[in-house]
Each structure stands twice: as C-alpha cells, then as structure tokens.
C-alpha cells in the first residue's frame, strides 16, 4: 500500500504544479500582450512538443522504466518552470520569449503523468487493489490536485501577480519528483509483441499509434477525448479567461475551475460504483451528454452562483471518462506498450486543442465571448451524438469482460 500512496502523493503534487500554470500562463500572456488571440497562439505553440514528441516520451517510459521517467520528467519540468520568473528578472518577457519557454516546458511536463498512469497497475497489484478502484482513486486524486492548483494560482495572482505563481508551481513539482523517488515496486514486463524492438526506435515509438487500430474500444475512448479537447478545452483556456479578465475577476475564474475540479473528485470516486452497475458504452454516453447539458446554460454567462452550479455538474459528468480510459487500456494493452499509449493520450489531451485554440482566440476577439461559447457548447452536443452512434461502442461493451492483467 505504501507504493500506491506515494504514487498518489506524487500525482497530487504534480497536478497542483501543472494546474497552477493552467491559470497562470494564459493570465500572464494576457497581461503581456492584452490579446486573447495572442494568448491562444502561446498556448497552441506550447502544445506542439506534446504532439510531436509523445511517441518518444512513451518509448522512454516503456524502455527506461515507468518510475524513473515519472520522477525525472517532473524534475526537469521544475527547471523549465522557474525559467519564467528568472527571465522576467532580466526583462526579456514578451510574446516570443513566452512561446519559447512554454514550448520547452511542454517537452517534458506530460511525461510524468503518462508514466504514473503506466505504473498504476504495478502499485495496485502490490496493494491488492482492483484496476477499477485504483483508477477511480488515481483520477480522484488528480481531480483534487486540479481543484487546489487553480485556486492557489488565482489567489497568488490576485495578491502578487502571475510570476509568483510559477514559483509555487515549481515547489509542487519538486515535491512530486521526491515522492516518486521514494516509490519501491517491481514493474511488470510484458512485451507488446515479438517485433516490439527498441533497436528500431521509430517503429518502436509509433507502436502506440498502431495500438488504436488493434483495440477499437481504446480507439473510441481516444476519439471521445479528442472531441472534448478540441471543442471543450478552449472554453477553459481561452473563452473563460477572456471573460473574467474583461470583468476584472481573476479569483472568480480560479474558483470556477476549482469547483469543476472538486466535482470531478466525486465523479472520479463514483467511477468504481458506476462501472459495477452501468455498461461502458452507457457510461460514456452519461459523460458526453452530461458535459453538453452543463455547457449550454453556462454559455449564456450566468451569474457566478449559477456558473458554479453548472460547473459542478460539468465536472462531475466529465470525470468518469478518464478512469474508464485508463482501465480499458490497462486491461487490453500489454504492460510494455502502455507508456506509449498513455503518452499518446497526453498528446491528444494537451496538443490537439492547438488546432482550435487559435481559431477560438481570433473568434472571441472578433465576435465576443458569449456567441463563441454557445457555438462550442452546441459543438460538444453534436460530437456526443456522433460518437455514441459509432460501431466501436460494441467493442467498448466487450472490453468490460476482459479480466485485468
């Protein structure tokens, strides 16, 4: 149990570190440039490394080791995080330096989370815990960290400005690396296939992409994640920051994001209970239609109490999809391939929004927050209908019958 607890402590601290930046970076860009479009450019460009280097990071996880990459990725991310305030000391913070620093940071930051997800079956087995329970707890801890981080970031920004938030992020990242260093566990070795050879690095790295063709249940969950990241995530990273910046309430944005994350804690904890009673396809339907049902009224920029209420519904509805994806991957994908698959997941989650961020930023500058928010909410609803009608939903139903490895 000690290894599982330490892994979750690392998970909690690492997510706090990343979610502080989730608020601080867009706010810093708005302070420096005054433009939502330029803020979207920074966010989009910073996501490019996660897209291009995800197969390589997954290769490191599967060949070097899950625990080693988990602590090393966090340690390097700390160094790149403190570069922001250090650059400010020398007076070289502008749009281009922000793009450069964000790109360098995002080369390493997704690796820690991917490695920890790949390690979950190992520490869960040592603790005598089922995958459903382990993933439910893992994502609840993740959501708890994401509830704390934005609130901390908003408070720090309100009192000391966005640069101080980067120091807080670096401190949490250092704690994450230290917790993971203390984990002692034997990592299961289960090669993907006879041809899975690190001596052929390009083929080895791309094996995670090929896995989507072999496992349609994993593929439909990746498609769902792609749709949410393309359509929904810009509302948190571009639309809402612009709205709360315009009305001069950074703390309101932080508390809204924190409310959604807090609700996600309960949604993640509910996953184990739901998975025992609801089929995987119906669970995915609850997630996608729950998100769209909450987004539609929020798009009308209701009073803060109503935004918080619907935000809580949104957070709770969204939460079960990640432990569902984790569990299906861990049941179907061989142990020595999971790092590459989870790195691909992080690439989808972090990098795919760059396709829509710039367009959303320009649209908000041109037409305003409310009409763009409503268009994105309708887009999520249409995506939910399309995904839940796909033939891969049958494979997702069958995935529940596969015993855990």
């Amino acid at each position: 149990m000690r290894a599982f607890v330490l892994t979750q402590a690392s998970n909690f601290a690492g997510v706090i570190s990343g979610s502080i930046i989730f608020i601080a970076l867009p706010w810093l860009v708005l302070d420096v440039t005054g433009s939502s479009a330029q803020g979207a450019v920074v966010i989009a460009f910073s996501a490019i490394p996660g897209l291009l280097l995800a197969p390589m990071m997954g290769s490191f996880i599967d060949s070097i080791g899950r625990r080693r990459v988990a602590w090393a990725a966090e340690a390097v991310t700390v160094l790149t995080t403190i570069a922001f305030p250090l650059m400010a000391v020398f007076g070289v913070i502008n749009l281009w330096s922000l793009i450069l620093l964000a790109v360098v940071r995002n080369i390493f930051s997704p690796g820690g989370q991917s490695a920890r997800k790949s390690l979950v079956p190992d520490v869960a087995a040592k603790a005598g815990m089922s995958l459903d329970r382990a993933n439910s707890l893992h994502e609840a801890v993740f959501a708890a960290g994401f509830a704390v981080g934005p609130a901390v970031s908003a408070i720090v920004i309100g009192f000391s400005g966005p640069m101080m938030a980067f120091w807080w992020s670096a401190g949490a990242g250092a704690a994450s690396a230290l917790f993971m260093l203390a984990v002692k566990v034997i990592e299961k070795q289960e090669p993907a296939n006879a041809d899975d050879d690190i001596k052929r690095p390009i083929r080895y790295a791309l094996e995670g992409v090929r896995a989507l063709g072999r496992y349609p249940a994993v593929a439909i969950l990746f498609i769902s994640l792609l749709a949410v990241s393309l359509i929904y995530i810009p509302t948190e990273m571009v639309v809402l920051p612009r709205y709360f910046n315009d009305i001069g309430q950074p703390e309101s944005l932080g508390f809204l994001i924190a409310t959604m994350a807090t609700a996600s804690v309960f949604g993640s904890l509910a996953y184990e209970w739901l998975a025992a009673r609801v089929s995987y396809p119906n669970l995915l339907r609850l997630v996608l239609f729950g998100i769209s049902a909450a987004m539609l009224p929020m798009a009308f920029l209701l009073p803060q109490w109503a935004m918080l209420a619907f935000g809580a519904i949104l957070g709770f509805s969204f939460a079960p999809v990640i432990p569902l994806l984790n569990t299906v991957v861990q049941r179907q994908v061989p142990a020595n391939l999971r790092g590459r698959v989870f790195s691909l997941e992080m690439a989808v989650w972090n990098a795919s929004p760059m396709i829509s961020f710039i367009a959303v930023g320009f649209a908000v500058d041109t037409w305003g927050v409310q009409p763009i928010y409503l268009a994105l909410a309708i887009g999520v609803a249409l995506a939910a209908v399309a995904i839940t009608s796909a033939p891969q939903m049958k494979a997702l139903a069958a995935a529940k019958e596969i015993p855990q490895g």
Side-chain angles (χ1 to χ4, degrees):
M1 183 62 75
R2 181 175 182 271
F4 183 83
V5 171
L6 285 170
T7 300
Q8 298 318 310
S10 176
N11 185 26
F12 184 66
V15 176
I16 289 176
S17 175
S19 60
I20 288 174
I21 302 300
F22 185 83
I23 298 295
L25 181 57
W27 204 272
L28 176 62
V29 175
L30 279 172
D31 277 356
V32 171
T33 69
S35 168
S36 293
Q38 292 189 17
V41 168
V42 173
I43 296 166
F45 272 94
S46 70
I48 292 174
L51 179 63
L52 298 181
L53 299 178
M56 193 60 65
M57 184 60 71
S59 296
F60 291 151
I61 294 169
D62 288 335
S63 59
I64 297 173
R66 300 152 208 156
R67 174 185 161 276
R68 288 177 181 173
V69 173
W71 71 258
E74 291 291 352
V76 177
T77 300
V78 168
L79 298 178
T80 60
T81 300
I82 64 176
F84 284 84
L86 291 179
M87 291 281 278
V89 170
F90 294 100
V92 290
I93 288 295
N94 53 45
L95 176 63
W96 297 108
S97 64
L98 287 172
I99 290 175
L100 175 63
L101 292 173
V103 165
V104 173
R105 184 181 185 278
N106 271 18
I107 290 174
F108 304 99
S109 60
Q113 179 64 7
S114 298
R116 287 190 295 267
K117 285 192 177 191
S118 301
L119 193 64
V120 164
D122 302 309
V123 294
K126 188 174 182 179
M129 191 179 298
S130 71
L131 283 179
D132 281 332
R133 173 164 293 184
N135 284 305
S136 187
L137 292 172
H138 182 83
E139 294 304 329
V141 170
F142 183 98
F146 208 88
V148 173
V152 170
S153 189
I155 292 169
V156 172
I157 291 170
F159 281 98
S160 306
M163 278 302 178
M164 183 57 67
F166 285 83
W167 288 107
W168 283 74
S169 173
S176 177
L178 291 173
F179 283 129
M180 187 51 64
L181 270 172
V183 172
K184 305 298 180 185
V185 68
I186 297 174
E187 299 180 18
K188 182 178 180 180
Q189 302 301 315
E190 184 185 29
N193 55 62
D195 296 326
D196 196 34
D197 188 354
I198 188 63
K199 294 179 181 178
R200 294 185 291 177
I202 296 177
R203 181 181 178 86
Y204 185 85
L206 294 177
E207 195 63 28
V209 179
R210 295 189 185 95
L212 298 186
R214 294 198 295 269
Y215 306 106
V218 176
I220 191 65
L221 291 171
F222 265 70
I223 291 169
S224 302
L225 200 65
L226 177 63
V228 172
S229 64
L230 282 173
I231 306 171
Y232 166 69
I233 295 302
T235 66
E236 290 191 9
M237 294 293 286
V238 178
V239 178
L240 288 173
R242 175 57 182 267
Y243 171 65
F244 285 106
N245 184 270
D246 285 348
I247 64 175
Q249 295 182 11
E251 68 282 355
S252 296
L253 171 63
F255 290 125
L256 175 58
I257 300 296
T259 296
M260 291 191 284
T262 301
S264 294
V265 175
F266 295 100
S268 296
L269 289 173
Y271 165 74
E272 182 187 9
W273 185 88
L274 289 169
R277 293 163 176 80
V278 180
S279 70
Y280 283 173
N282 283 337
L283 187 51
L284 183 59
R285 290 184 180 98
L286 288 172
V287 166
L288 295 175
F289 287 110
I291 293 172
S292 60
M295 280 185 70
L296 285 167
M298 290 179 71
F300 291 94
L301 304 176
L302 303 172
Q304 181 69 1
W305 66 267
M307 294 289 279
L308 293 174
F310 283 110
I313 295 171
L314 193 159
F316 185 90
S317 299
F318 171 77
V321 73
I322 302 299
L324 173 59
L325 173 60
N326 294 353
T327 302
V328 171
V329 169
Q330 291 158 3
R331 285 182 184 274
Q332 291 198 318
V333 178
N336 286 19
L337 179 56
R338 289 173 192 155
R340 282 163 284 174
V341 173
F342 280 128
S343 289
L344 183 60
E345 177 207 346
M346 293 303 293
V348 168
W349 185 245
N350 292 321
S352 60
M354 72 178 180
I355 299 171
S356 55
F357 273 174
I358 296 176
V360 170
F362 280 109
V364 168
D365 283 345
T366 303
W367 291 293
V369 169
Q370 196 275 323
I372 301 306
Y373 200 170
L374 181 59
L376 293 171
I378 293 171
V380 171
L382 294 175
V385 172
I387 290 168
T388 56
S389 303
Q392 289 89 347
M393 294 291 278
K394 293 180 180 178
L396 183 60
K400 192 171 186 179
E401 308 304 319
I402 299 174
Q404 70 182 59

